[in-house]
Amino acid sequence: MKINRIFNVICVSGVLALSSCSNDDDATPMNQIEEPATYVFERNGKSTVSFSGQTTRIAMSEELVSALKNTALTEEQLDAMFAHIEGANDFSEATLNASDKSVRSKTAASRDYFSANTTEATAIKAEFDGWIKSQVDEVFPNWNTTATAGAAGVLQEAGGGSNRYVNAKGLELNQIFAKSLIGALMTDQALNNYLGTAVLDEADNITNNNDEVVVEGKSYTTMEHKWDEAYGYVYGASNTPATPNANIIGEGKAGDDNFLSKYLSRVESDSDFTGIATEIYNAFKLGRAAIVAKEYTVRDQQADIIREKLSEVIAIRAVYYLQQGKNLLSNPTVDYAAVFHDLSEGYGFIYSLQFTRNPETNAPYFTRSEVQGLLTQMAGGTDGLWTVTPEVLETISVTIAARFNFTVEEAGS
């Protein structure tokens, strides 16, 4: 297995050292904390864990992605779901309609990546808006027309399989929207916002956490809550949020949503990457425990583990779908519906690479410009995916894997 582990040194059995281990000549006691068994933290008998906003945005995202296949909806209705306004009747659930949260407001909106780069953030939001518009203007009117190169429509997978609705370039826009949202919302907010020191240590957060000054009317400190919000973008849809891997690890497990949880489960189920889900969960637990223990160096070490591993999940799935598409294209009879479905998912995961975070550089593993270059190689021609070759897909796969600690063969199986 190629996963690069960077866990802290374990100094004694049963407890984890959250600062450097003492030697025999060091009279200073070692600062230790019991390893939490689950993501349960309390103060005065009350839970200090809260991430309801993340649960809400995941639910909104689920319904929006499903709505992108409802031809009865207009662009205005889909836009309203994306940029929900409190009280608007945009969703099927009353609690979502009553919420003041929205998906669009947190898309490409992290403090670390976009507070000083509003031009790029605006361009990314516009791309999501454009996918909605193209789905309504181009794909919906051709819902019952057979797609051909240069013309939107529907293709059915071989053997009476699923219908795939694509634009003129063979791109399944609802899949691109969904997989790109994994990067632009869930990953960006978790890795580049709530796990960042700009948010965790903002203003008096360290002093207040040291003194256990809680948010007015709440049981948690601001720093505790910010860490929990990052946790929520990965596990916020779980029915057992203290032990979310119950639906991620194991044969037949599918995760708790169609975003990070689902694809963390998919990567975990690959024998080349077994253990990655536990590593991420343990880092979240230990980082949160470190905040309680006021051990901020260890907190940041755990944030780096999470950044590395969640970034790997996105890259692994990008390569996986590229390889699936490449293999299908190599068949004597090409099932274009299946090819376009896999490559559209791959397209979204490639798009999400710009929101990953390399803990060694504190920058994405692929810049926005590099991501755009990869997507142009893949689908930038006049007919897009209709003319992409196995050789191009292999080249892109190799390029992505080279930035990470896995091979194309491992990810593509």
Side-chain angles (χ1 to χ4, degrees):
M1 185 169 65
K2 293 283 187 175
I3 298 299
N4 179 28
R5 293 172 174 80
I6 54 174
F7 279 121
N8 303 312
V9 176
I10 298 178
C11 299
V12 290
S13 176
V15 293
L16 293 181
L18 295 185
S19 60
S20 60
C21 298
S22 304
N23 59 42
D24 293 339
D25 299 322
D26 189 351
T28 303
M30 189 165 49
N31 201 356
Q32 298 172 344
I33 187 172
E34 291 185 8
E35 181 180 10
T38 63
Y39 202 87
V40 173
F41 300 91
E42 295 182 341
R43 177 175 287 109
N44 300 324
K46 294 182 178 181
S47 174
T48 62
V49 177
S50 176
F51 46 79
S52 60
Q54 287 62 47
T55 301
T56 294
R57 286 193 176 90
I58 290 172
M60 287 177 170
S61 299
E62 294 274 23
E63 191 163 340
L64 172 56
V65 169
S66 294
L68 287 171
K69 293 184 70 176
N70 183 349
T71 58
L73 295 178
T74 66
E75 180 185 350
E76 290 73 21
Q77 288 173 304
L78 293 167
D79 285 344
M81 294 178 73
F82 188 34
H84 174 68
I85 297 174
E86 182 179 3
N89 191 29
D90 298 323
F91 299 98
S92 61
E93 294 184 24
T95 54
L96 298 184
N97 291 329
S99 175
D100 63 352
K101 312 299 182 187
S102 84
V103 175
R104 192 180 192 277
S105 66
K106 291 295 185 179
T107 298
S110 66
R111 183 80 61 87
D112 288 353
Y113 278 7
F114 297 106
S115 63
N117 194 359
T118 56
T119 299
E120 195 164 286
T122 299
I124 290 167
K125 287 180 171 68
E127 285 165 347
F128 279 87
D129 293 337
W131 291 328
I132 291 174
K133 180 176 177 57
S134 294
Q135 184 76 349
V136 173
D137 290 351
E138 183 181 355
V139 180
F140 281 4
N142 294 288
W143 205 250
N144 297 311
T145 302
T146 300
T148 57
V154 60
L155 296 169
Q156 186 177 33
E157 292 185 357
S162 299
N163 287 333
R164 304 301 180 186
Y165 302 92
V166 300
N167 71 1
K169 289 192 170 188
L171 295 167
E172 200 175 359
L173 296 176
N174 57 303
Q175 289 295 331
I176 291 173
F177 190 100
K179 275 52 181 184
S180 297
L181 203 61
I182 291 174
L185 175 63
M186 290 81 179
T187 301
D188 185 50
Q189 283 294 302
L191 306 192
N192 309 317
N193 197 61
Y194 291 118
L195 295 183
T197 55
V199 169
L200 290 172
D201 296 344
E202 185 177 17
D204 297 328
N205 286 0
I206 292 177
T207 299
N208 288 342
N209 195 70
N210 288 341
D211 296 338
E212 297 193 38
V213 177
V214 300
V215 175
E216 185 176 357
K218 305 296 182 181
S219 60
Y220 49 72
T221 69
T222 298
M223 187 186 296
E224 290 170 340
H225 183 51
K226 298 306 179 185
W227 187 273
D228 291 342
E229 290 185 288
Y231 183 87
Y233 274 115
V234 185
Y235 306 113
S238 177
N239 290 324
T240 57
T243 56
N245 278 347
N247 199 33
I248 291 175
I249 297 175
E251 185 176 354
K253 297 299 176 69
D256 294 291
D257 60 42
N258 285 305
F259 303 104
L260 278 175
S261 179
K262 175 179 179 176
Y263 291 99
L264 176 56
S265 182
R266 293 285 179 87
V267 172
E268 172 70 24
S269 67
D270 183 335
S271 60
D272 290 307
F273 305 105
T274 300
I276 191 171
T278 298
E279 290 187 71
I280 292 168
Y281 176 57
N282 285 347
F284 267 117
K285 286 190 302 171
L286 193 53
R288 183 58 156 78
I291 291 174
V292 176
K294 306 166 182 63
E295 292 286 349
Y296 305 122
T297 298
V298 175
R299 176 202 71 184
D300 294 342
Q301 290 170 343
Q302 303 312 304
D304 281 348
I305 293 171
I306 297 164
R307 284 168 170 155
E308 179 188 7
K309 299 308 174 186
L310 283 179
S311 295
E312 284 179 351
V313 168
I314 288 173
I316 289 164
R317 292 310 288 185
V319 172
Y320 172 84
Y321 285 116
L322 291 174
Q323 289 296 299
Q324 295 302 301
K326 184 195 81 169
N327 294 338
L328 288 168
L329 280 175
S330 301
N331 290 337
T333 302
V334 177
D335 181 354
Y336 280 103
V339 170
F340 294 164
H341 179 64
D342 282 333
L343 294 186
S344 293
E345 293 193 88
Y347 189 107
F349 277 107
I350 294 172
Y351 189 90
S352 288
L353 288 171
Q354 65 191 294
F355 307 101
T356 57
R357 178 77 165 255
N358 185 337
E360 295 182 0
T361 64
N362 283 323
Y365 282 88
F366 282 84
T367 66
R368 177 165 169 79
S369 177
E370 289 175 318
V371 164
Q372 289 173 323
L374 294 177
L375 296 177
T376 297
Q377 288 182 57
M378 181 179 175
T382 302
D383 291 327
L385 297 181
W386 287 96
T387 54
V388 69
T389 65
E391 291 75 21
V392 167
L393 298 177
E394 179 69 13
T395 296
I396 298 172
S397 297
V398 170
T399 299
I400 294 171
R403 298 279 176 95
F404 294 86
N405 196 33
F406 64 83
T407 66
V408 171
E409 291 71 24
E410 288 170 329
S413 61

